[in-house]
Structures are given as C-alpha cells and as structure tokens.
C-alpha cells in the first residue's frame, strides 16, 4: 500500500511539473511579443480636410516612415499576397508545406530559398532583420504565432505595409507611393502596386539607372501571375506591363510648408487630418507667389495669409511666409509672430464706444490739431478735416479722431476690452502703451487679429440666428485639427464684450472700401462680395495689414520684412489689401451680408448734419437704426437758435435790436478750430453772421489758437544750412473778415485779416501770446519756444 501511494505521489509530481512547465511555456509564448510590435519613430504627415497630402517631415532617424493607415489598398494587398504569401489568410503564422519545400530545396540545390510568411516577415522587421540562423528562425516562428493570436490578419497586413523597406530611406507603402510615384497608395495602379510589392524582397533594386531590367522582370512575373490567377484581366495586364518603374525618389508635396512645421512641433510622428482646404491652399500659394514677385521689386520679401471659417473657427487656409530666399527669413512662420498692429484696433474702439452708448455711427468727431500730454497724433495725409463722422473716420482710418476718441472712452477701459477679446500679445500695462495703443503702439499676431474679426462676425451671426443670445467664449483660439471643436461657452443674454448692434454698425462703416490715396483701379471694390475690412500700417512702414470678414469667412494678410526693415509704399492699402481681395474672390459665396440685429438696435431721429440724436433745433433729420445704448447719447450740440436782423447780415440781441424785428433761425455752428478746417472742405457750410457792432457780445468763444496748442512746445525750425526759420502762429476766428492784432508779452508783433496766420522771428524763451480782434475780444496762451537739437 505504501509503495502504491509513493507511485501515485510520483505520478502527481510529474504531472504538476508538466503542468508547471506547460504554464511556463505558455507564459513565455504569451509574453514573447513586444508591445508595441514596432517602436520606430514616424514621419509627421499632414493631410487636408479632404485627405490629400499637404506635407510631411522626415522621422527622427532619417527615414521616410509614414504612420500606418486604417487599411491596405486592395491592389497592393493582392499583389503582395500573390508574391510573398498566397496562403496568408489560411495559415496560423507559418506555412509548414512551404517550409518543407524550402528545406529540401536548400539541402539539394546548395542555394537558399526562403519560406517566410508575411507574418514572419513582420516579426523579422520588428527584430531589425537580425542575422539569419536556425535559432532566429525558431524565434520568428514562435513570435509569428503569437502575432497571429493577438492581431487580425488585416492588422498584420497593415504592420507589414507600414514597416516594409522600399529602398534607400523609404519605409512603408504610403511613403513609397509618394516618393516613387507622387501619389497616395490608394491611387496606385496595378503596375505601380506590383512594382512596390516586389521591392521589400529586394529593396536594393531601387537605384536610379541600375537594376532596372531585374526589377522589371520581377514585376512582370508578378503581373503575369495575377493575370493567370484571374485577379486582373487581359487588358489590365497589358496596360500594367507598359507602366514605368520607380526611379529617383520624388519630392513630397509641401503645399503648406509652415503649417506642416507647426504641426510637427506639436504632433511629431503623427498623421494629422487638418482643417485646411486643399483647393483653397493651392490658390493661396499661387496668390502668394504672384504678389511676392511684385513686392520684392520694392525689396519687400515676406507676407503671410490666414483664412478662418467664422462658424467653426477652423483654419482653412494658411500661408506662413512667402517663397522668398533663405537670407530673407524664408522659414520664419509670421502668422503667429507679434507685430505692430497699426490701425487694426480702431474698429474695436469705435464699436466699444457705440456699445457703451457714447457714440453714434454718424456722430461728428473733431479732426483738428491735437496735443495730449505732449503727444500730437497726425493723420496719414498730414491734413485735418475739422469735423468728420465716426463712420467716415473709421472707414478712412483717420488717426486724430481715433486718438481723441480713445482719450474720451478711457485707455484702461479699452485695454480691458482687448483683454476680453484674448489678444494675447498685449501683455504690458495700459499705461505702457498710452494713447499710441490705437495707432500701433501694441503688438499682436495675424492669427490673433483675424480671430478677433471672426469672433465679431460670429457674435453677429449667432445673435440673429439664436433668439438674440450670445455665446460666452466667442474669441477662442482657432483650431486646425479636423474633428476638433471649439468650446464657445454657454449661451447668455448679455454680450460678453460687444453687442450685436455696435458690431453691425462698425461693420457697416468697414464696408466702405474707399481709402485716401487708394489705387482707383481696385480701391472702389465693385465685385458683389461685401466685406467688412480694415487696413493697418505700422510706424516707419514696417508692417502692412489687411483683415476682413464676411458672414462666413475671416481673412487676414500681413506684408513686410521679417527683419523689421521698413520700405516706402509698404502700407496696408497698397501692399496688403490687394492680396485680401484676391483671396476673397477664391472663397465660395454662402451669405452676402449680415442680418440686421433688430433686437439690439433702436430706431431714432438723427440730425442729418451732426449725426447726433436730433435736438430741438435740428431742422433736417433722418430716422436711423442705432445701437441699443445709443439712445443714451446727448442730442446735437452744434445746432442752436440765433437771432438775425431783418437783412440777415448780423446776429442781434435785445441789447441793440427790437425783438419784434428779429429773425429766429436754427444754425449749424461748429467750434472755431473745427469750423476753420471743416469750412474749407465743405463749401455748403455757412459761417454764422458776425454780431452787430452795436450789440453787447454774448458769452461764446469767437476764436481759438490752432498753433501753438495748449501746453505744446514750439520748436524752432531750421533749413538745411542751419538757418532758423520763422515760426508761424495760426488762429481760427468765427468772423474771418475781422482784424486780429498779435502781441508777445504785450509787444505788438503783427496784424492779420481773413487768413489769420502770422510768421515771426522769435528767440528761445517763454512768452505770453495774445490775440485781440477789432471788437476787443482777446485770447491768451503761454508759449515755450525751444531750439532745435
């Protein structure tokens, strides 16, 4: 009995050992396959939204190895199976019959013949083609069975197609298709598919000018087999034989050079389906090439373009730089680089003022010589209009009204608005920029500014389409990966930054495309494509901008030199705007213009001459739709009642004229300095008649200094020969025909009439300047005269 127990115990021990040994073998087999099977670095591949190849960047190890695709094209799959592994879908990783035949052949012929399945070849590739031996063959066989157990046949085909060598530094089917035939693997013909199917078996056959006969023989034998097996018909077979063989590798497409590099930096080694439209990108490349050729004649070497879909905030077109030379910063992507904004922020200021109820679209703004804390802005043409409507000031991009408006609106307040619109490059405190903020004192990138215009357009679209509701995050950054979505935040009744009425009014002004000194051949844009657009030119002619939006697309253009060199003629109107309109012509027409946001507008009577809400004394009025808060603005301050004598030649009052004989009329009367410039440009403007000499003067400003302005230093001008010139003092008077007497420190220095300008020689120092008219009215100003340094 004891002996029998010992025998049973021995049997159990042997059984346990076998079980344990079997378990160890199974675990060794189960974990013999590395994960992932391949860990090679991949090329970065960028596709358009349609799936077309836009560009690629080589992998870190110097190989063109595209990330694997979802499936292997049918033609290549059939070609590689009939060439390498006809029974691929029947075996479990190895083919015993093929292995037996190969062993017999190798023993009897003295030559070597392989019998590896595609699965075994995947394993060999993953093991970096280690030196062949029977042990290595055994390892490959074991891992091949494990691969078959853990992966589908389609997955194994994908692994092979993605990692097979195709000669030189070309790895994988997709890279080979583009490098040798300039097309996607999906579009390979039968002849091309067969040529690539035989290459991994002998990748050294790819050598321009050599091995062509051998490569053709291998390809043609495969084509014959495909024909004999009924895979291809007679005509297809004959046509495939006529196809050319792969030769010298072709350059890969690079339709979006800087965009592809942008993707590589953030998604290296990935295949990214972008939001770029392939056809539009090709057209942008042609537009860029054409304009770069013209611009470089003026030594302007760089430009960039970005196009956004307003609704999705997708980037659908991207030109990072022009096709210039390397010494002109060809590889610098300017789209996201900060540059001086010029006048691009003006629409945001005007819209902010209208949204706050402090400005109406046609309100007259002062455009007169201005000095604020020593800062004296100038319009581009160095001229003054006296008074100009807000809409006209915006469409003409006048600097002086914009600076004065910024002062009235508040620098810090406007700065806060910009931060809400997520202008990320505006990083310094508001006081650092000062009032120059509105004229290019701050920097922003083309992508950011275009994003803001898209956000304004989207605000207007969403407001009118969704029951007068706003979205909290309209100014989110654009996206460039297809399938990604922007989170525009929750819907709300209150505008996050600007109301739809203010935006609509600002866009109406920006539709006016006529600009001072514009090229008449395109300046009045006659195409049926309305667009709200704005140009900008930075100080020193270093940056030219044009940014615009339709209900569907926002376009941004920057032109200049990447190294900051300024050039004459480098302005937004002349250099950037023509590009913007060329781009606009290439975009499809979906909706011509924005719907009027009636819920954020009010209908009101407006004074026809001043643009203010009509007051009691406005004779000519119109009914207009105003931003909702516009009802809070003041009524017209420029229309007033005046009393004239019976002939209408003098103003009179009760101190000198019978009340029954007075004529009461309403008069449009601007302040003296505004009237001085306004009258010369507007012949219909009538100066108020002078006060009857027999009447007691009313308390009203009759005259004002134009130059010098309050708190402004007078710098003595010099000629080229260092001769000091005269200083010209200027004055505006309500009655130009009156005589004006000029004094410096109570010393009479001259008399003027009609044109009140007096040129005098003056030494450096501080003086009291006094001007007195013939009725005895006087004004005084302290003047500091300093020499030219």
């Amino acid at each position: 009995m004891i002996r029998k127990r010992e025998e049973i115990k021995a049997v159990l021990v042997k059984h346990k050992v076998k079980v344990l040994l079997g378990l160890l073998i199974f675990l060794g087999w189960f974990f013999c396959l590395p994960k992932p099977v391949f860990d090679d670095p991949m090329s970065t591949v960028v596709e358009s939204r349609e799936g077309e190849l836009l560009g690629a960047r080589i992998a870190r190890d110097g190989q063109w190895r595209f990330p694997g695709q979802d499936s292997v094209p049918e033609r290549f799959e059939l070609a590689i199976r009939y060439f390498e592994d006809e029974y691929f879908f029947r075996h479990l990783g190895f083919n015993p019959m093929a292995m037996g035949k190969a062993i017999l052949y190798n023993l009897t012929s003295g030559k070597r013949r392989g019998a590896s399945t595609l699965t075994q070849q995947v394993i060999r590739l993953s093991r970096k083609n280690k030196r062949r031996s029977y042990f290595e063959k055994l390892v490959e066989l074991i891992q091949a069975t494990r691969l078959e157990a853990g992966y589908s046949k389609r997955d194994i085909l994908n692994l092979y197609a993605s990692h097979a060598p195709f000669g030189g530094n070309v790895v994988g089917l997709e890279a080979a298709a583009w490098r040798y035939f300039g097309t996607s693997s999906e579009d390979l013909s039968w002849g091309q598919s067969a040529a690539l199917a035989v290459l991994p078996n002998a990748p050294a056959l790819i050598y321009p000018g050599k091995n062509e006969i051998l490569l053709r023989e291998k390809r043609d034998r495969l084509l014959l087999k495909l024909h004999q097996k009924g895979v291809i018909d007679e005509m297809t077979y004959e046509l495939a034989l006529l196809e050319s063989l792969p030769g010298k590798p072709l350059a890969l497409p690079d339709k979006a050079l800087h965009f592809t590099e942008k993707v590589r930096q953030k998604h290296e080694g990935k295949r990214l389906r972008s939001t770029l439209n392939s056809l539009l990108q090709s057209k942008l490349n042609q537009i860029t090439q054409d304009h770069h050729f013209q611009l470089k004649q003026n030594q302007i070497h760089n430009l960039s373009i970005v196009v956004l879909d307003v609704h999705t905030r997708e980037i659908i077109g991207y030109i990072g730089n022009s096709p210039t030379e390397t010494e002109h910063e060809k590889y610098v992507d300017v789209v996201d680089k900060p540059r001086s904004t010029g006048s691009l922020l003006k629409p945001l200021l005007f819209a902010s003022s209208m949204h706050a109820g402090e400005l109406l679209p046609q309100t007259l703004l002062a455009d007169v010589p201005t000095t604020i804390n020593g800062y004296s802005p100038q319009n581009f043409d160095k001229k003054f209009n006296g008074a100009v409507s807000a809409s006209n000031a915006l469409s003409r991009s006048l600097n002086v009204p914009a600076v004065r408006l910024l002062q009235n609106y508040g620098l810090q307040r406007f700065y806060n608005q910009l931060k809400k619109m997520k202008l990320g490059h505006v990083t310094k405190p508001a006081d650092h920029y000062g009032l120059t903020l509105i004229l290019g004192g701050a920097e922003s990138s083309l992508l950011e500014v275009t994003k803001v215009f898209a956000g304004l357009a989207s605000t207007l679209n969403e407001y009118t389409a969704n029951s007068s509701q706003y979205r909290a995050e309209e100014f989110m950054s654009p996206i460039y990966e297809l399938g990604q979505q922007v989170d525009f935040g929750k819907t709300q009744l209150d505008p996050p930054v600007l109301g739809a009425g203010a935006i609509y009014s600002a866009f109406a002004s920006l539709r006016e495309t006529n600009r001072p000194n514009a090229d008449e051949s395109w300046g009045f844009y006659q195409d049926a494509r309305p667009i709200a657009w704005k140009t900008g030119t930075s100080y020193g002619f270093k940056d030219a901008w044009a940014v615009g939006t339709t209900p569907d697309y926002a376009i941004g253009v920057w032109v200049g030199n990447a190294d900051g060199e300024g050039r004459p003629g480098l302005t937004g109107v002349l250099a950037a705007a023509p590009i913007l309109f060329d781009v606009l012509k290439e975009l499809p027409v979906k909706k011509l213009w924005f719907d009027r946001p009636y819920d954020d507008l009010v209908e009101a009577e407006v004074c026809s001459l001043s643009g203010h809400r009509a007051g009691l004394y406005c004779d000519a009025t119109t009914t207009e739709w105003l931003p909702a808060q516009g009802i809070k603005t003041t009524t017209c301050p420029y229309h007033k009642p005046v009393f004239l004598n019976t002939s209408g030649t003098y103003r009179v009052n009760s101190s000198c004229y019978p009340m029954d004989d007075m004529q009461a009329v309403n008069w449009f009367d601007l302040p003296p300095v505004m009237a001085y410039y306004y009258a010369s440009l507007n012949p219909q403007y009538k100066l108020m008649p002078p006060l009857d000499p027999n009447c007691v003067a009313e308390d009203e400003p009759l005259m004002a200094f134009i130059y010098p302005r309050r708190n402004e230093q007078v710098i003595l001008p010099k000629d080229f020969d260092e001769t000091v010139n005269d200083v010209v003092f200027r004055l505006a008077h309500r009655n130009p025909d009156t005589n004006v007497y000029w004094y410096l420190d109570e010393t009479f220095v001259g008399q003027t009439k009609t044109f009140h300008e007096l040129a005098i020689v003056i030494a450096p120092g501080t003086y009291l300047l006094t001007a007195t008219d013939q009725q005895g009215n006087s004004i005084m100003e302290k003047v500091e005269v300093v020499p030219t340094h």
Side-chain angles (χ1 to χ4, degrees):
M1 179 68 89
I2 294 174
R3 185 175 179 181
K4 194 171 183 178
R5 289 179 179 175
E6 288 177 350
E7 289 176 354
I8 294 173
K9 187 177 181 180
V11 172
L12 290 175
V13 170
K14 288 181 180 180
H15 181 70
K16 288 181 179 180
V17 170
K18 289 180 180 179
V19 172
L20 181 59
L21 183 60
L23 180 60
L24 290 174
I25 292 174
F26 174 77
L27 290 175
W29 174 82
F30 187 82
F31 292 105
C32 71
L33 193 66
K35 282 192 174 183
V37 179
F38 294 92
D39 60 356
D40 302 311
M42 293 290 178
S43 300
T44 305
V45 178
V46 181
E47 298 174 338
S48 69
R49 66 189 309 118
E50 300 85 7
E52 296 182 22
L53 180 64
L54 293 178
R57 294 292 177 267
I58 200 165
R60 286 188 177 184
D61 61 356
Q63 304 294 303
W64 285 109
R65 187 186 296 107
F66 284 18
Q69 295 183 292
D70 294 336
S71 62
V72 178
E74 182 181 11
R75 288 173 181 168
F76 180 80
E77 178 191 324
L78 290 167
I80 195 64
R81 278 173 46 205
Y82 278 98
F83 182 74
E84 291 281 6
D85 190 357
E86 191 172 346
Y87 300 98
F88 174 71
F89 283 103
R90 300 181 188 178
H91 61 65
L92 298 176
F94 63 96
N95 188 332
M97 292 185 61
M99 290 176 66
K101 291 180 181 179
I103 292 172
L104 181 62
Y105 178 83
N106 293 341
L107 291 175
T108 58
S109 68
K111 298 180 181 179
R112 296 193 63 83
R113 172 182 171 181
S116 297
T117 63
L118 285 174
T119 309
Q120 288 175 291
Q121 291 186 47
V122 169
I123 296 300
R124 184 184 306 138
L125 291 170
S126 72
R127 293 175 62 79
K128 308 304 179 188
N129 289 312
K130 290 186 178 182
R131 185 176 180 180
R132 296 187 180 186
S133 65
Y134 287 109
F135 175 77
E136 183 63 26
K137 276 288 183 183
L138 178 61
V139 173
E140 289 177 4
L141 187 148
I142 294 171
Q143 289 191 340
T145 59
R146 178 65 184 88
L147 185 64
E148 289 278 349
Y151 292 78
S152 70
K153 289 289 188 179
R154 296 294 177 190
D155 290 337
I156 294 171
L157 274 174
N158 265 333
L159 287 173
Y160 178 83
S162 300
H163 295 276
F166 286 87
N169 66 344
V170 180
V171 179
L173 173 64
E174 187 68 13
W178 281 106
R179 291 290 278 164
Y180 295 133
F181 297 111
T183 187
S184 168
S185 61
E186 294 284 346
D187 298 323
L188 290 173
S189 66
W190 278 109
Q192 293 169 339
S193 297
L196 293 182
V198 304
L199 272 180
N201 184 263
L205 292 180
I206 286 293
Y207 194 91
K210 296 184 179 181
N211 305 325
E212 185 173 339
I213 295 176
L214 182 57
L215 179 58
R216 185 177 296 277
E217 289 177 353
K218 290 171 74 72
R219 184 202 68 172
D220 292 353
R221 282 199 300 271
L222 175 56
L223 287 171
L224 178 60
K225 185 176 183 180
L226 291 171
H227 176 47
Q228 291 173 342
K229 293 288 185 178
V231 177
I232 58 177
D233 58 28
E234 180 71 26
M235 180 176 291
T236 302
Y237 168 64
E238 292 178 356
L239 291 174
L241 290 174
L242 299 175
E243 293 187 46
S244 60
L245 295 170
K248 183 178 179 180
L250 306 173
L252 290 171
D254 209 4
K255 294 173 68 173
L257 184 153
H258 299 88
F259 181 80
T260 301
E261 183 60 23
K262 181 187 185 75
V263 172
R264 185 199 66 79
Q265 293 174 4
K266 295 186 178 181
H267 306 276
E268 186 173 9
K270 305 294 183 183
R271 179 188 298 272
L272 184 136
R273 180 72 70 90
S274 75
T275 57
L276 266 60
N277 181 292
S278 180
L279 179 59
L280 174 62
Q281 188 66 27
S282 297
K283 291 178 177 178
L284 293 184
N285 285 331
Q286 186 61 54
I287 290 171
T288 300
Q289 184 175 336
D290 294 344
H291 283 275
H292 171 249
F293 177 78
Q294 300 172 16
L295 291 166
K296 71 179 181 180
Q297 312 305 315
N298 188 24
Q299 299 182 35
I300 302 170
H301 301 287
N302 307 104
L303 69 89
S304 56
I305 307 170
V306 65
V307 184
L308 304 182
D309 185 305
V310 166
H311 305 285
T312 63
R313 220 57 51 86
E314 294 175 337
I315 300 174
I316 61 173
Y318 192 104
I319 300 293
N321 207 332
S322 58
T324 187
E325 297 78 19
T326 303
E327 59 265 29
H328 297 304
E329 313 294 343
K330 174 180 180 178
Y331 297 105
V332 174
D333 186 351
V334 190
V335 166
D336 55 6
K337 300 298 184 295
R339 309 287 299 201
S340 170
T341 55
S343 299
L344 290 181
L345 304 184
K346 288 177 182 175
L348 310 182
L349 173 61
F350 280 72
S352 295
S353 295
M354 287 189 283
H355 173 70
E358 298 169 12
L359 182 71
L360 299 182
Q362 301 303 322
T363 297
L364 285 183
L365 299 176
D367 182 21
V368 297
T370 302
T371 299
I372 304 171
N373 296 327
Y375 173 53
S376 300
Q378 295 286 327
N379 292 326
F380 185 80
D381 60 4
K382 307 297 183 183
K383 298 178 181 179
F384 300 99
N385 297 272
V388 62
S389 71
S391 177
N392 194 253
L394 179 56
S395 65
R396 293 172 57 192
S397 196
L398 298 177
N399 293 337
V400 174
V403 170
R404 295 174 68 100
L405 183 62
L406 177 58
Q407 184 191 32
N408 292 334
Y409 182 79
L411 175 62
Q412 183 65 50
R413 189 178 172 201
F414 180 59
Y415 176 88
N416 294 340
Q417 290 284 84
L418 299 182
K419 301 302 285 186
K420 291 178 184 177
M421 297 180 201
K422 302 185 186 300
L423 285 174
H425 288 100
V426 182
T427 56
K428 296 180 174 61
D431 290 342
H432 171 83
Y433 303 108
L435 295 178
T436 63
L437 175 66
I438 200 62
L439 303 184
E443 292 185 335
S444 190
S445 69
L446 180 63
L447 188 60
E448 281 187 345
V449 175
T450 309
K451 172 199 71 175
V452 169
F453 271 70
L456 295 175
S458 181
T459 299
L460 202 48
N461 286 338
E462 291 300 321
Y463 185 83
T464 55
N466 293 313
S467 302
S468 305
Q469 290 183 340
Y470 297 95
R471 299 187 297 192
E473 300 292 341
E474 280 291 1
F475 297 96
M476 295 296 289
S477 297
I479 57 175
Y480 58 82
E481 185 174 356
L482 193 66
Q484 186 180 3
Q485 292 184 338
V486 175
D487 182 6
F488 290 110
K490 65 180 182 180
T491 57
Q492 58 191 48
L493 296 177
D494 295 327
V497 184
L498 294 172
I503 297 172
Y504 185 85
S505 299
F507 278 7
S509 299
L510 294 178
R511 281 186 64 173
E512 301 297 326
T513 59
N514 182 25
R515 299 289 191 268
N517 302 323
D519 180 357
E520 295 296 333
S521 64
W522 67 267
F524 295 90
Y525 189 64
Q526 297 297 330
D527 196 2
R529 296 296 306 275
I531 181 173
W533 65 292
K534 183 73 185 71
T535 59
T537 305
S538 68
Y539 179 78
F541 302 103
K542 298 178 179 180
D543 304 276
W545 303 78
V547 182
T549 185
T550 70
D552 300 299
Y553 303 104
I555 308 167
V557 177
W558 173 89
V559 177
N561 287 312
D563 61 5
E565 179 186 0
R567 293 295 304 166
L570 182 55
T571 67
V573 168
L574 297 179
I579 301 175
L580 180 142
F581 284 103
D582 281 351
V583 173
L584 180 64
K585 292 174 185 176
E586 301 300 337
L587 294 172
V589 180
K590 295 182 180 179
K591 184 179 180 181
L592 282 179
W593 193 241
F594 301 91
D595 296 327
R596 193 189 298 271
Y598 288 105
D599 287 356
D600 199 43
L601 296 170
V602 293
E603 201 171 16
E605 291 291 315
V606 175
C607 179
S608 300
L609 291 178
S610 72
H612 283 270
R613 284 196 305 113
L616 293 175
Y617 308 114
C618 294
D619 294 329
T621 63
T622 60
T623 302
E624 295 184 4
W625 288 99
L626 308 176
Q629 296 300 315
I631 202 69
K632 300 191 309 185
T633 59
T634 59
T635 57
C636 178
Y638 301 127
H639 278 85
K640 61 181 69 174
V642 296
F643 296 94
L644 305 179
N645 59 13
T646 52
S647 62
T649 54
Y650 286 103
R651 286 180 292 122
V652 293
N653 54 43
S654 58
S655 67
C656 64
Y657 207 81
M659 295 185 65
D660 292 341
D661 296 334
M662 296 181 188
Q663 299 183 64
V665 296
N666 297 325
W667 205 278
F668 176 55
D669 182 48
L670 296 172
V673 177
M674 291 174 64
Y676 175 82
Y677 291 98
Y678 185 83
S680 62
L681 299 175
N682 297 272
Q684 75 278 9
Y685 179 75
K686 296 180 179 180
L687 292 173
M688 190 182 295
L691 184 66
D692 189 308
N694 298 315
C695 295
V696 176
E698 299 167 335
D699 186 15
E700 61 177 17
L702 294 175
M703 51 185 168
F705 287 117
I706 298 173
Y707 184 82
R709 296 179 287 274
R710 186 177 297 276
N711 301 322
E712 178 183 20
Q713 287 184 334
V714 176
I715 300 176
L716 293 178
K718 289 184 179 181
D719 284 334
F720 291 110
D721 60 1
E722 295 298 314
T723 302
V724 177
N725 290 331
D726 297 345
V727 173
V728 179
F729 294 132
R730 294 185 179 88
L731 176 142
H733 198 289
R734 289 189 180 277
N735 181 14
D737 292 332
T738 191
N739 292 310
V740 174
Y741 307 94
W742 300 75
Y743 300 85
L744 279 178
D745 290 341
E746 300 183 358
T747 300
F748 177 74
V749 291
Q751 174 182 341
T752 58
K753 186 175 183 179
T754 307
F755 298 103
H756 298 295
E757 299 181 359
L758 181 68
I760 63 173
V761 178
I762 190 171
T766 302
Y767 303 88
L768 181 65
L769 176 65
T770 305
T772 303
D773 65 11
Q774 63 188 42
Q775 283 77 36
N777 303 298
S778 297
I779 56 172
M780 292 180 288
E781 187 71 60
K782 185 177 180 181
V783 178
E784 181 181 3
V785 181
V786 297
T788 303
H789 297 292

